[in-house]
Amino acid sequence: MNIKLKHCDNIRDLGYIDNLKENKIIRSKRLDDLEKEEVKKLKDENNLKLVIDLRTVNEAKSTPYYEEFDIIYKAIPIFTDEIIGLSFGSNDFNSLLKDENFSFKNLYDNLFKGEILTNIGLVIKEIVDFDYNKGSVLFHCTQGKDRTGIIAAILLLILDIDKDIIYKDYLYTNIVNKRRIRRIWLHTRITKNKLAATNIKKVMRAEKEYLDSLFEYIDNNFNNYHEFFLSLGLNDNEIDKFKKEVKNK
């Protein structure tokens, strides 16, 4: 399931899911710390051709190794710092840690509105329209959980993957991040307080109710998944092409 890299632990080829081809779609956390040999491994073993960075302008960072190995890098932010108002170390984030009523679910609910939803559509269209005969696509945010998780879930829906499998893939990030979450939670509990530690865990973990926001949005606004796909700017020919290139027959 996981691609083994020293400097990136939350990275997996979605080809582990039954009926999907390997080395087509890869989801990941940030790749900023990868060494040259790790990028070469992704190129040689996973046929990596396109990297899509979902992070904000302030978060995004490419690597000179992409160009060396003929890997295309595209930054397509899902949201801006101004829209989401949440980044580690910011005043907004520090205020969040003190908020007794903080709900990360509310932040997810706000993903499916206006500019953010438009940007999600741009990312989905970029991935769906890619020519997979040329290689694989990797998309990532910072931790590979929220923005990456939503994009992965939508792609898996398009590929006719069962809902329970989509949830399992989304929640698998908690297994990968278990020790990191524990370490940061404990540090926050010691250096700040119990409330801050509780809120930091809400931010660090993937929870079922967070992904529920996607399906609630679809159920409340469309008659079926196909209508939702079309609303993202896709057409039937693009969807059919994507399935033929990424799914096993």
Side-chain angles (χ1 to χ4, degrees):
M1 178 185 289
N2 269 19
I3 297 172
K4 296 186 182 300
L5 297 174
K6 181 179 179 181
H7 296 96
C8 182
D9 52 2
N10 191 15
I11 175 172
R12 56 188 176 274
D13 183 342
L14 292 181
Y16 81 89
I17 296 173
D18 286 345
N19 205 33
L20 297 187
K21 297 177 182 177
E22 294 183 344
N23 295 332
K24 297 299 181 184
I25 306 175
I26 302 168
R27 57 171 293 175
S28 178
K29 64 179 286 187
R30 66 187 181 91
L31 304 176
D32 304 359
D33 299 326
L34 292 190
E35 295 178 351
K36 181 177 179 178
E37 287 305 310
E38 292 175 292
V39 178
K40 185 176 185 299
K41 177 180 179 179
L42 288 172
K43 179 67 175 183
D44 292 344
E45 297 182 12
N46 302 100
N47 201 20
L48 181 59
K49 183 61 179 180
L50 172 63
V51 172
I52 298 178
D53 193 337
L54 308 176
R55 297 176 295 176
T56 66
V57 173
N58 290 334
E59 292 175 290
K61 181 181 179 182
S62 183
T63 165
Y65 303 135
Y66 290 151
E67 185 173 351
E68 182 173 343
F69 292 110
D70 193 31
I71 297 171
I72 301 167
Y73 171 83
K74 291 187 178 182
I76 310 178
I78 293 292
F79 48 69
T80 64
D81 293 302
E82 293 76 18
I83 290 177
I84 198 65
L86 176 63
S87 60
F88 283 91
S90 68
N91 290 332
D92 287 326
F93 185 77
N94 290 327
S95 297
L96 171 157
L97 296 181
K98 302 173 185 177
D99 185 355
E100 294 182 359
N101 298 312
F102 171 66
S103 168
F104 206 61
K105 172 70 162 59
N106 290 341
L107 291 178
Y108 263 77
D109 289 340
N110 288 327
L111 291 177
F112 306 105
K113 297 177 181 178
E115 183 179 343
I116 299 178
L117 184 58
T118 298
N119 293 338
I120 288 174
L122 293 175
V123 173
I124 294 297
K125 189 171 178 63
E126 187 76 36
I127 296 172
V128 168
D129 286 348
F130 180 73
D131 181 358
Y132 287 89
N133 295 309
K134 295 180 178 179
S136 63
V137 173
L138 182 153
F139 56 95
H140 73 89
C141 54
T142 299
Q143 295 300 327
K145 176 177 74 77
D146 303 310
R147 289 164 286 190
T148 296
I150 288 295
I151 295 299
I154 295 173
L155 292 173
L156 292 176
L157 273 180
I158 295 172
L159 293 167
D160 305 314
I161 301 303
D162 290 343
K163 196 172 175 181
D164 62 331
I165 295 176
I166 294 175
Y167 273 94
K168 286 179 181 178
D169 178 71
Y170 174 75
L171 295 172
Y172 181 75
T173 293
N174 290 332
I175 297 175
V176 178
N177 288 338
K178 185 176 180 179
R179 289 200 295 179
R180 181 185 299 113
I181 294 170
R182 172 70 180 174
R183 184 177 68 251
I184 294 175
W185 173 84
L186 186 59
H187 175 76
T188 306
R189 178 73 183 265
I190 294 172
T191 60
K192 294 185 181 296
N193 53 57
K194 183 177 180 180
L195 174 61
T198 298
N199 283 346
I200 198 75
K201 183 178 283 189
K202 292 178 182 179
V203 174
M204 295 291 294
R205 282 184 55 82
E207 300 289 356
K208 179 183 179 297
E209 67 169 354
Y210 301 165
L211 190 55
D212 286 344
S213 296
L214 168 63
F215 292 98
E216 289 166 3
Y217 169 74
I218 296 173
D219 290 343
N220 291 334
N221 292 277
F222 304 96
N223 291 316
N224 50 57
Y225 292 147
H226 186 254
E227 283 188 6
F228 169 60
F229 304 151
L230 297 182
S231 78
L232 295 175
L234 301 177
N235 60 49
D236 289 339
N237 289 334
E238 290 171 317
I239 293 172
D240 289 343
K241 190 259 337 170
F242 180 54
K243 289 181 178 180
K244 288 178 181 177
E245 293 184 349
V246 175
K247 293 179 69 173
N248 289 312
K249 294 182 180 179

